[in-house]
Amino acid sequence: MPPVDRRRIRGPEESHSPYHFATEESMKCLGTGNRLVDDSQRGPLDMRRIFARCGLISQAKGSAYIEAGNSKLICSVYGPRETERRDETDMKSGRLVTDMRFAPFACRKRGAWVQGNEEKDLSQGLLESLRPGVCLHKYPRCQIDVCVMVLESDGPALAHAVTCASLALADAGIEMYDLVLGCTVRHIGNTQLLDPTFAEVQDDQSGASVDSQGTVTLSLMPNMNQVSGLQSDGVMEQESIKAAVQACIEGCFKLYPAIQHTLLKTIRKKPPPSEN
């Protein structure tokens, strides 16, 4: 008989979504998650309510947790520490390493623990967005590891991962030029949806053609008013991309006070440094 891993609780071989047992009245209360269909008080350019907190992982140098609607992410930061590979050591600058993964239960379709191509692309996008905001020259011959885990995904996760990782870096005491905030806009026909949900990304209720659909994700350093990262998926006209970028910048400025309040609340809770 092969050995059994008793520390891991295996899930059932067959399972059903809880929506399968929901009644029509309960489904009406839950809604579809699409602002174009539901009678939602949230406007097209309104962001979802956000909850953020720092310092949840005691083993990490810094950590942060973010909820935006049904999207939930947690990030941990380790280091700075001596880099593992000597051939990659930079005498004048440090090295930032990012790893972004989805939990197997994060999406509607159960995933695997092995990092896929999508997660590798998201990790690279997270690195490109965070690197301009970190003072890597302050940490020569050192490595800083940023690990993001998506616990529940309800829409594009890269923008929230950027914000969560920036909070965790600040909580770890890593010197930064500015906080880096992320925002996403979904463009469908003549409509732009800020901070879209999974239903708004997948469904096309407006009947727009394929030529007028796309998603823009932007990373911004608000104090410096500089864009640190920009990604665009789909096919959009030049004017539509300009409007989407402007909407993302305004969304980041809307998010900035909440992130500032979270950091101030965390700093006040920390004990003062010892004089020794």
Side-chain angles (χ1 to χ4, degrees):
M1 183 177 179
V4 179
D5 186 0
R6 300 182 183 278
R7 293 173 298 178
R8 180 175 299 176
I9 300 176
R10 298 182 61 87
E13 296 181 358
E14 296 183 1
S15 60
H16 300 279
S17 171
Y19 294 101
H20 178 74
F21 304 97
T23 61
E24 294 183 359
E25 295 182 357
S26 61
M27 290 299 295
K28 290 181 180 179
C29 296
L30 291 173
T32 63
N34 193 332
R35 279 170 285 185
L36 301 179
V37 179
D38 298 336
D39 295 332
S40 175
Q41 296 181 355
R42 180 175 165 226
L45 297 180
D46 292 338
M47 300 189 68
R48 288 178 283 184
R49 293 184 178 180
I50 189 170
F51 169 81
R53 183 169 292 179
C54 298
L56 298 180
I57 302 177
S58 58
Q59 295 86 352
K61 183 70 178 297
S63 59
Y65 172 79
I66 278 185
E67 284 187 14
N70 291 329
S71 295
K72 301 176 180 64
L73 301 89
I74 192 167
C75 176
S76 55
V77 173
Y78 302 91
R81 58 183 177 82
E82 187 178 0
T83 184
E84 295 178 354
R85 298 182 59 178
R86 296 287 182 177
D87 57 340
E88 295 182 355
T89 302
D90 192 346
M91 300 296 293
K92 297 182 180 179
S93 177
R95 182 166 175 253
L96 186 66
V97 179
T98 57
D99 182 76
M100 182 174 175
R101 296 174 184 265
F102 288 84
F105 49 82
C107 304
R108 297 189 177 184
K109 183 179 179 181
R110 187 174 180 85
W113 279 108
V114 181
Q115 190 178 35
N117 294 330
E118 180 185 0
E119 293 171 321
K120 292 180 181 179
D121 293 340
L122 290 173
S123 299
Q124 183 64 28
L126 179 63
L127 174 63
E128 295 174 355
S129 300
L130 291 176
R131 188 160 32 188
V134 182
C135 301
L136 292 176
H137 65 280
K138 296 282 188 178
Y139 308 97
R141 304 176 63 182
C142 292
Q143 176 175 319
I144 302 172
D145 297 313
V146 179
C147 304
V148 177
M149 176 65 72
V150 181
L151 302 176
E152 185 175 355
S153 178
D154 186 22
L158 179 59
H160 297 302
V162 170
T163 305
C164 189
S166 180
L167 263 177
L169 286 168
D171 181 60
I174 303 298
E175 294 192 41
M176 303 175 67
Y177 296 105
D178 192 6
L179 286 172
V180 184
L181 307 181
C183 193
T184 300
V185 165
R186 173 67 174 171
H187 179 81
I188 305 175
N190 297 324
T191 305
Q192 289 188 346
L193 302 176
L194 187 65
D195 191 15
T197 62
F198 177 82
E200 292 169 347
V201 173
Q202 296 295 323
D203 298 339
D204 184 14
Q205 302 294 339
S206 62
S209 61
V210 179
D211 297 336
S212 59
Q213 294 185 28
T215 304
V216 175
T217 301
L218 180 138
S219 302
L220 179 74
M221 295 185 284
N223 277 333
M224 303 179 68
N225 198 21
Q226 291 185 4
V227 175
S228 63
L230 180 64
Q231 290 189 5
S232 177
D233 299 328
V235 180
M236 293 181 289
E237 297 179 356
Q238 183 177 359
E239 295 299 326
S240 300
I241 295 178
K242 288 182 179 179
V245 169
Q246 184 62 33
C248 286
I249 293 175
E250 294 177 358
C252 289
F253 280 110
K254 293 178 182 177
L255 182 63
Y256 191 44
I259 302 302
Q260 275 186 319
H261 177 73
T262 301
L263 277 179
L264 288 174
K265 188 176 179 180
T266 303
I267 293 172
R268 289 168 183 168
K269 286 184 177 180
K270 288 187 176 181
S274 59
E275 296 180 358
N276 297 332

